[in-house]
Amino acid sequence: MAAPDAEIAAQLQADVPHAARIWNYWMGGNDNFAADRAAGDAVAQVYPEIVVMARESRRFLVGAVRFLAAEAGVRQFLDVGTGLPTMQNTHQVAQEVAPDARVVYVDNDPMVLVHAHALLGAGGPATYVHADYHDPEKILAEAARTLDFAQPVAVMFMGVLGYEPDHAVVRSIVSSTMDATAPGSHLVLWDGTNTSPAVVEGAARLAESGGVPYILRSPAEIGRCFDGLVMVEPGLVPITRWRPDDPAAAAIDAYGAVARKL
Ligand SMILES: C[S@@+](CC[C@H](N)C(=O)[O-])C[C@H]1O[C@@H](n2cnc3c(N)ncnc32)[C@H](O)[C@@H]1O
């Protein structure tokens, strides 16, 4: 059940940097407050590439969702940690290819909830579940009202799992979600990597600025989230190099992949 508006407004905490709004700021959006911009600027001061990462992450999302809808025939998407709506959101990309594609968004940020209600409404082009990714049971139960888990589902964790410090917990969140899916389902996941001193410094600045700390992982740790699945070409790569528009695209401190469940 939706919380009353006044309660949501209180939860927005405009004076505290929030992950979804900081990300929105780096992506060039307007749905952020001064505290979010201050935290975002503190990171960008030492790691200006964060803005490139935000933009490139959307290119990766668009490429992966198009591949899944157009080439892999997937018609159901579960996008966990969806963020504030910006350009080329999952349902728009999927439904451009397959108008019958069903999309469930999940996030635990109250501002995302407010936007989702305004944008999607009842009977809209996608469904929104307000939940924490630490509770896959709740997410799966609520998503099952929209998605048929007997058919393939693309499960998406796009730059969201670094908020959980324990990598074993991260793996269990991913595996318990994938365990509920049918053969032919896919996992799409990217995350920030500890592959340069500047990005590590940027993560430290984020934590100091009052934002929820983000744990950067090694590419190998990210790769372990895909255990038991079959990688789709080109496998786990810096997201700038996943089916790039520019074959000479520079690497970035963020690795991602798409993989299939047999
Ligand atoms: C960096 S943004 C990424 C947004 C989006 N996935 C994208 O690719 O643009 C991280 C998102 O994860 C959400 N998030 C963080 N912790 C979460 C949790 N425990 N459960 C659900 N969502 C979470 C935040 O609210 C935020 O919207």
Side-chain angles (χ1 to χ4, degrees):
M1 196 181 75
D5 288 351
E7 195 182 315
I8 291 173
Q11 289 170 13
L12 289 182
Q13 300 177 299
D15 52 340
V16 178
H18 268 231
R21 301 190 307 239
I22 300 173
W23 192 246
N24 172 268
Y25 176 53
W26 286 328
M27 285 191 92
N30 296 318
D31 298 310
N32 45 72
F33 300 126
D36 308 310
R37 295 190 285 277
D41 287 342
V43 175
Q45 221 171 31
V46 293
Y47 186 63
E49 292 83 357
I50 190 67
V51 176
V52 179
M53 190 190 293
R55 199 183 61 217
E56 284 294 320
S57 77
R58 191 49 51 129
R59 194 199 63 81
F60 173 60
L61 180 151
V62 170
V65 170
R66 273 203 193 126
F67 159 78
L68 290 162
E71 295 180 48
V74 175
R75 292 290 175 269
Q76 308 190 97
F77 296 81
L78 178 60
D79 183 348
V80 183
T82 194
L84 287 159
T86 50
M87 73 297 278
Q88 294 181 293
N89 303 297
T90 298
H91 73 281
Q92 292 161 323
V93 179
Q95 289 167 1
E96 199 179 274
V97 177
D100 58 335
R102 280 178 274 170
V103 177
V104 173
Y105 292 120
V106 180
D107 207 290
N108 70 343
D109 188 298
M111 186 138 154
V112 177
L113 174 66
V114 171
H115 276 263
H117 279 173
L119 196 76
L120 301 173
T127 304
Y128 179 75
V129 173
H130 187 65
D132 189 309
Y133 60 53
H134 293 91
D135 193 354
E137 269 183 36
K138 176 181 175 181
I139 291 172
L140 291 165
E142 296 212 14
R145 294 181 190 167
T146 303
L147 307 179
D148 175 2
F149 280 91
Q151 300 298 321
V153 176
V155 176
M156 303 166 61
F157 289 100
M158 310 295 274
V160 300
L161 290 169
Y163 299 108
E164 168 48 54
D166 185 339
H167 191 244
V169 173
V170 165
R171 290 184 64 191
S172 112
I173 290 167
V174 174
S175 63
S176 49
T177 309
M178 290 308 294
D179 283 351
T181 63
S185 292
H186 288 73
L187 173 64
V188 190
L189 183 152
W190 76 266
D191 230 321
T193 50
N194 52 11
T195 36
S196 77
V199 75
V200 171
E201 174 71 11
R205 289 290 177 94
L206 178 68
E208 283 160 16
S209 71
V212 178
Y214 203 87
I215 312 301
L216 300 168
R217 302 210 142 90
S218 67
E221 282 175 313
I222 294 175
R224 284 203 284 281
C225 293
F226 293 89
D227 281 358
L229 304 173
V230 178
M231 285 288 181
V232 167
E233 281 297 313
L236 181 71
V237 289
I239 54 173
T240 42
R241 294 184 173 162
W242 198 88
R243 304 187 178 207
D245 305 327
D246 171 9
I252 198 162
D253 302 301
Y255 276 59
V258 178
R260 186 169 200 271
K261 179 172 174 175
L262 290 180

